[in-house]
Structures are given as structure tokens and as C-alpha cells.
Amino acid sequence: MSKRALITGITGQDGSYLAEHLLDQGYQVWGLCRGQANPRKDRIAKLIPELSFVDGDLMDQGSLVSAVDLVQPDEVYNLGAISFVPMSWQQPELVTEVNGTGVLRMLEAVRIVSGLTKSSGGSPRGQIRFYQASSSEMYGKVAESPQRETTSFHPRSPYGVAKAFGHYITQNYRESYGMYGVSGILFNHESPRRGAEFVTRKISLAVAQIKLGQMDKLHLGNLDAERDWGFAGDYVRAMHLMLQQEQAGDYVVGTGAMHQVRDAARIAFEHVGLDWQEHVVVDPGLVRPAEVETLCADSGNARRELGWEPEVDFEQLMRMMVESDLRQASRERDYSQLLATGSW
Ligand code: NDP
């Protein structure tokens, strides 16, 4: 019988790649979707027609219990979150509710539906395996570099603090109830499906528009900011592998290679034959109140124990994103021209 997976955050970048990966592995996949008319649901339903949906919100405990009870999953992937770090200074309470307490609600839903109690010593009705989307942002002000599973946390944003709670509460449910719960401490990962508010996608979108003559300048914050950026399609494979291990454990996932924002801009502009320095404007208003330090993954455990390796490098990733945005922007331009001329 095929395995059943429930994914929260299905309308997001990782949710879509993970759903495709699990369907390829023969799973039946449900995505938890919130809101009465979520426009992103239609988009993903078109992209992945084999996907099923169940209603629910990480802010609503009852809806999560109902969703887990309805799907009866073998595996739950909790990817739902407000994922844009700067927003966590604007709405810290909401981000804490969704990204922190939301994890607890999802764990409770799994615990209740699987009938786990402190004394049950593991699930009496078969294990539901739980994956939590932890983040390198938990490290923040780094105690050692590169960061590994044992590196201590010092988050530098309300987002990072909420993710640290989610991380620890997942460990706690593993220890308190014998739940199979793991956290993937994922470093930044991008793709053509990344939200437009994130710097790599902001760059690829702007490069496409500048190439087509639709804009001229791209405003960026700290060009020296460095990240360990990988490809989302590679990282969802690691999520799945983590839930296939005999023993539940947490893993760091990243490429171990660092790149600056200026590298991302240079590669993207060069890909379309433009000089980034002629188009990028530094805007101090876009710099974070408290910047994380150099975050670089030591994914040794994931490579050794999961057999995981990233396949797409940073240059390939940036070029892939620019190509995708260029195709999309060209289609939209052609469509507007058709509308303007009326020549269907
Ligand atoms: P996205 O921002 O692309 O997707 C976030 C998803 O969370 C959306 O589907 C959104 O759905 C959903 N969501 C938001 N609020 C709620 C809520 N109250 N209840 C249920 N769902 C909700 O993020 P990514 O796909 O990039 O990231 C996936 C996870 O991995 C996130 O938890 C993120 O914090 C974490 N992470 C991501 C990294 C990265 O570099 N991408 C790095 C490390 C961790 P809706 O359509 O309803 O808004």
C-alpha cells in the first residue's frame, strides 16, 4: 500500500517541490491549505493535479486535529510558516504564533490522533513520523563555524527565536512521548518558485525586467551579506530521507559554500549579458536591524548518514531562476502587447 503524507505549507516553495518528490516516490499526498479562497491553492492545484487538499490553519488547533484524523498520514511535514525573516520585526507576535506555537499545535494534533501519552512509550496505533522545518536562522550570532547539529543557538530575529522554540518542542515530544519527530536545520534554499520578497528572487525578477527594458534599477540592502544558498529541489530530498531513518534525529542541510549578495547579482546580470554595477543601487533602508553572522552549513552528518548530496550549485541556481523569470516576463509582455493591439 502506498504511504500517505500530509504537508503543511503546501502553497509555498518547499511544499510544492516536496509534494512532487513524494508523488514520484509513490506516495499519496495531501496539502493543508488555509483560508476560504486561497489563490495560491489554485496555482498549486494546476501545477500538481495529483495533489489532494485538506483545510486547516496552524493558528487553529482543532483544524489540525481534524486534518490529521482525516488523512491518517504515515508522515507529516510541517513546512507552514511566515518565512520572510524581516516580517518578524514588523509582526513578531503573529510570527511567534505561526512559526513557534504552530509547531506545538501540529505536534499535539499528531499526538492526539496517534493516541500517544507520556506512559504509552511510543505510538500504540502505528507511528506517524513528523518533520519540522527548522532553520539556520536559529544560529544567528554564531558560536562556531561552520555550524553543525551541536552548535548552540543565538537567534537574531523574532523569526529565529520562534523557529528555535519549534525545534526544541519537536525534540521534547520525541523525548516525552517517544514520537518519531525530527528537525531539518535547513540553510537558505531558493528556486524559481521562491517568493518575490527574497533577495535571490528579487534579483532574478529584476534582471528579467531590466533585460526586457521594463525597469532600470534594482535596489538592494547589504551587498556584503553572505549566505549558504542551495536549491530547494535538492533540500526536499533531504527532508524525505530524514523520515526514512531507523532512529529519529536532527540534521543540518546546506551546501557549505558561501556567496555574497553581490555574487548573486553579478551572476544573474552576467547571464543576460549585463553589468550588475550599472543597475544595482544600495539602499540602507533595506538592511536588517540585526544581521545574522556568516552562516555556513556543516552537513557532514546528512551526507554520511542520509547519503544526501546537493546536485545544483549556486551559479546553476541563479541562472535557472533568471531563465525562468525571463520566460515568464516575456510571456507577460507578449500577452500585454496582444491585449493592447487586440490582435488575438
Ligand atoms: P514559503 O514562504 O514559500 O511558504 C510558507 C507556507 O506556509 C505557505 O504555504 C503558507 O501558506 C504557509 N502558511 C503561512 N501561514 C500559515 C498558517 N497560519 N497556517 C498554515 N500554513 C501557513 O516558505 P518555504 O517553502 O521557503 O519554506 C518552508 C519552510 O521551511 C518554512 O517553515 C520556512 O520557515 C522553513 N525554512 C525555509 C528556508 C528557505 O530558505 N526557504 C530555510 C530554512 C527554513 P499560505 O498560502 O496560506 O500563505
Side-chain angles (χ1 to χ4, degrees):
M1 241 181 45
S2 59
K3 280 195 190 173
R4 303 158 73 91
L6 171 62
I7 302 174
T8 74
I10 192 67
T11 59
Q13 169 186 258
D14 292 6
S16 66
Y17 282 106
L18 179 63
E20 286 171 340
H21 181 63
L22 295 179
L23 287 163
D24 278 352
Q25 306 284 315
Y27 281 62
Q28 294 179 62
V29 182
W30 279 259
L32 184 96
C33 224
R34 71 184 170 128
Q36 65 183 52
N38 186 337
R40 306 213 292 166
K41 179 179 172 185
D42 295 340
R43 205 177 60 190
I44 186 142
K46 266 196 206 114
L47 183 71
I48 313 176
E50 305 90 334
L51 200 53
S52 305
F53 294 96
V54 56
D55 292 331
D57 193 310
L58 289 167
M59 302 281 279
D60 179 351
Q61 179 71 75
S63 72
L64 301 178
V65 175
S66 300
V68 175
D69 196 35
L70 186 113
V71 175
Q72 294 288 318
D74 299 288
E75 297 172 8
V76 170
Y77 294 86
N78 186 39
L79 311 185
I82 295 170
S83 69
F84 188 50
V85 176
M87 199 173 151
S88 73
W89 281 284
Q90 287 154 10
Q91 299 189 352
E93 192 180 337
L94 180 65
V95 169
T96 302
E97 271 295 325
V98 177
N99 297 9
T101 315
V103 184
L104 173 62
R105 293 190 191 101
M106 203 63 223
L107 284 162
E108 271 293 283
V110 169
R111 185 187 71 75
I112 290 166
V113 172
S114 21
L116 285 173
T117 61
K118 273 189 291 190
S119 54
S120 62
S123 170
R125 296 188 210 153
Q127 280 275 34
I128 299 176
R129 297 189 167 200
F130 179 85
Y131 173 88
Q132 167 56 20
S134 286
S135 163
S136 57
E137 292 282 331
M138 299 185 306
Y139 295 122
K141 193 169 161 55
V142 296
E144 65 175 336
S145 211
Q147 294 82 51
R148 53 183 71 110
E149 290 78 5
T150 50
T151 304
S152 55
F153 298 150
H154 185 144
R156 296 271 282 166
S157 61
Y159 170 92
V161 174
K163 282 286 177 184
F165 172 80
H167 186 84
Y168 284 130
I169 199 69
T170 302
Q171 274 184 356
N172 180 261
Y173 269 52
R174 187 161 78 211
E175 291 168 8
S176 301
Y177 299 107
M179 187 184 283
Y180 190 109
V182 308
S183 291
I185 307 174
L186 269 52
F187 283 59
N188 292 64
H189 45 279
E190 323 294 307
S191 74
R193 299 179 195 168
R194 187 64 146 146
E197 63 276 37
F198 292 90
V199 68
T200 51
R201 185 76 197 289
K202 186 175 166 181
I203 292 172
S204 65
L205 277 165
V207 166
Q209 286 175 306
I210 291 171
K211 180 67 183 172
L212 296 179
Q214 296 167 345
M215 65 186 267
D216 188 44
K217 297 291 180 208
L218 163 62
H219 292 256
L220 293 175
N222 181 7
L223 294 182
D224 300 327
E226 276 188 305
R227 294 286 185 276
D228 175 343
W229 277 296
F231 171 50
D234 283 339
Y235 288 33
V236 299
R237 284 190 287 109
M239 297 176 188
H240 175 242
L241 284 168
M242 279 180 223
L243 287 196
Q244 311 316 308
Q245 304 309 300
E246 208 174 305
Q247 288 291 327
D250 305 328
Y251 289 92
V252 163
V253 176
T255 68
M258 301 300 297
H259 297 276
Q260 292 184 331
V261 170
R262 78 177 72 245
D263 299 326
R266 179 184 48 76
I267 294 166
F269 278 98
E270 273 177 12
H271 185 64
V272 297
L274 295 173
D275 180 353
W276 71 278
Q277 299 192 69
E278 287 175 13
H279 297 281
V280 170
V281 177
V282 175
D283 181 348
L286 297 172
V287 175
R288 287 185 186 195
E291 182 57 276
V292 292
E293 291 176 5
T294 305
L295 299 178
C296 180
D298 175 351
S299 298
N301 286 351
R303 288 170 198 254
R304 274 189 303 277
E305 293 171 24
L306 307 179
W308 176 82
E309 288 289 338
E311 288 171 3
V312 175
D313 71 23
F314 184 62
E315 291 223 10
Q316 291 170 320
L317 172 63
M318 285 311 302
R319 288 201 292 266
M320 175 203 301
M321 292 173 70
V322 172
E323 277 301 314
S324 166
D325 284 329
L326 206 47
R327 271 197 306 276
Q328 176 70 15
S330 305
R331 267 200 303 271
E332 280 165 13
R333 182 194 56 185
D334 295 347
Y335 181 67
S336 311
Q337 282 171 354
L338 277 176
L339 281 182
T341 57
S343 49
W344 283 92

